[in-house]
Amino acid sequence: MPLNKDQLGALVDFVDAHVQAAGCDHTRRFTERWATGQQVLMDRLAEGLDEYGGYCDCEVVMNCDPEQVLGP
Ligand SMILES: [Zn+2]
Protein backbone atom coordinates (compact mmCIF):
# COMPACT_ATOMS: atom_id res chain seq x y z
CA MET A 1 0.00 0.00 0.00
CA PRO A 2 1.72 3.20 -1.17
CA LEU A 3 -0.38 5.50 1.05
CA ASN A 4 0.08 6.41 4.67
CA LYS A 5 -2.83 6.23 7.10
CA ASP A 6 -3.88 9.87 6.65
CA GLN A 7 -3.85 9.56 2.88
CA LEU A 8 -5.79 6.31 2.87
CA GLY A 9 -8.34 7.82 5.26
CA ALA A 10 -8.72 10.81 2.96
CA LEU A 11 -9.12 8.54 -0.05
CA VAL A 12 -11.80 6.40 1.60
CA ASP A 13 -13.70 9.51 2.77
CA PHE A 14 -13.55 11.05 -0.70
CA VAL A 15 -14.64 7.87 -2.48
CA ASP A 16 -17.35 7.13 0.10
CA ALA A 17 -18.93 10.57 -0.39
CA HIS A 18 -18.94 10.21 -4.16
CA VAL A 19 -20.22 6.63 -4.15
CA GLN A 20 -23.08 7.67 -1.87
CA ALA A 21 -23.95 10.56 -4.18
CA ALA A 22 -23.40 8.93 -7.56
CA GLY A 23 -23.09 5.19 -7.01
CA CYS A 24 -20.37 2.75 -7.94
CA ASP A 25 -20.04 1.87 -11.63
CA HIS A 26 -17.71 -1.07 -10.89
CA THR A 27 -14.63 0.93 -11.73
CA ARG A 28 -12.29 2.96 -9.55
CA ARG A 29 -13.27 6.24 -11.19
CA PHE A 30 -13.46 8.22 -7.93
CA THR A 31 -10.34 6.55 -6.57
CA GLU A 32 -8.57 7.59 -9.77
CA ARG A 33 -9.88 11.14 -9.48
CA TRP A 34 -8.53 11.40 -5.94
CA ALA A 35 -5.17 9.91 -6.95
CA THR A 36 -4.84 12.39 -9.82
CA GLY A 37 -5.63 15.29 -7.49
CA GLN A 38 -3.07 14.06 -4.96
CA GLN A 39 -0.44 13.24 -7.59
CA VAL A 40 -0.41 9.64 -6.40
CA LEU A 41 0.56 7.11 -9.06
CA MET A 42 -2.56 5.11 -9.87
CA ASP A 43 -0.59 2.03 -10.97
CA ARG A 44 1.03 1.63 -7.57
CA LEU A 45 -2.16 2.50 -5.74
CA ALA A 46 -4.18 -0.01 -7.79
CA GLU A 47 -1.78 -2.78 -6.78
CA GLY A 48 -2.12 -1.84 -3.13
CA LEU A 49 -5.92 -1.72 -3.31
CA ASP A 50 -6.11 -5.04 -5.19
CA GLU A 51 -4.26 -6.67 -2.32
CA TYR A 52 -7.08 -5.75 0.06
CA GLY A 53 -9.98 -6.41 -2.31
CA GLY A 54 -10.62 -2.82 -3.35
CA TYR A 55 -11.36 -3.59 -6.98
CA CYS A 56 -13.96 -0.86 -7.47
CA ASP A 57 -14.95 2.30 -5.61
CA CYS A 58 -17.53 0.66 -3.31
CA GLU A 59 -15.06 -2.11 -2.47
CA VAL A 60 -12.38 0.46 -1.67
CA VAL A 61 -14.80 1.93 0.88
CA MET A 62 -15.79 -1.50 2.26
CA ASN A 63 -12.42 -3.29 2.26
CA CYS A 64 -9.72 -0.64 2.55
CA ASP A 65 -10.42 0.91 5.93
CA PRO A 66 -7.11 2.43 7.13
CA GLU A 67 -7.30 0.65 10.50
CA GLN A 68 -7.63 -2.73 8.82
CA VAL A 69 -5.07 -2.13 6.08
CA LEU A 70 -2.39 -0.30 8.06
CA GLY A 71 -3.16 -1.36 11.63
CA PRO A 72 -4.25 0.70 14.62
ZN1 LIG B 1 -18.39 -1.30 -6.62
Side-chain angles (χ1 to χ4, degrees):
M1 175 59 67
L3 303 181
N4 66 33
K5 209 169 180 178
D6 286 348
Q7 288 176 306
L8 185 57
L11 168 64
V12 169
D13 284 350
F14 177 91
V15 173
D16 188 26
H18 285 280
V19 166
Q20 284 192 35
C24 177
D25 71 350
H26 312 297
T27 69
R28 284 189 286 226
R29 59 183 170 153
F30 298 128
T31 300
E32 285 172 24
R33 190 183 299 175
W34 181 88
T36 303
Q38 300 297 311
Q39 298 181 314
V40 168
L41 284 179
M42 193 56 214
D43 284 359
R44 284 280 294 113
L45 179 56
E47 283 175 23
L49 295 171
D50 283 353
E51 231 172 282
Y52 296 95
Y55 295 105
C56 65
D57 285 326
C58 72
E59 291 178 345
V60 168
V61 173
M62 268 190 303
N63 298 334
C64 299
D65 180 80
E67 302 278 320
Q68 283 174 3
V69 171
L70 298 169

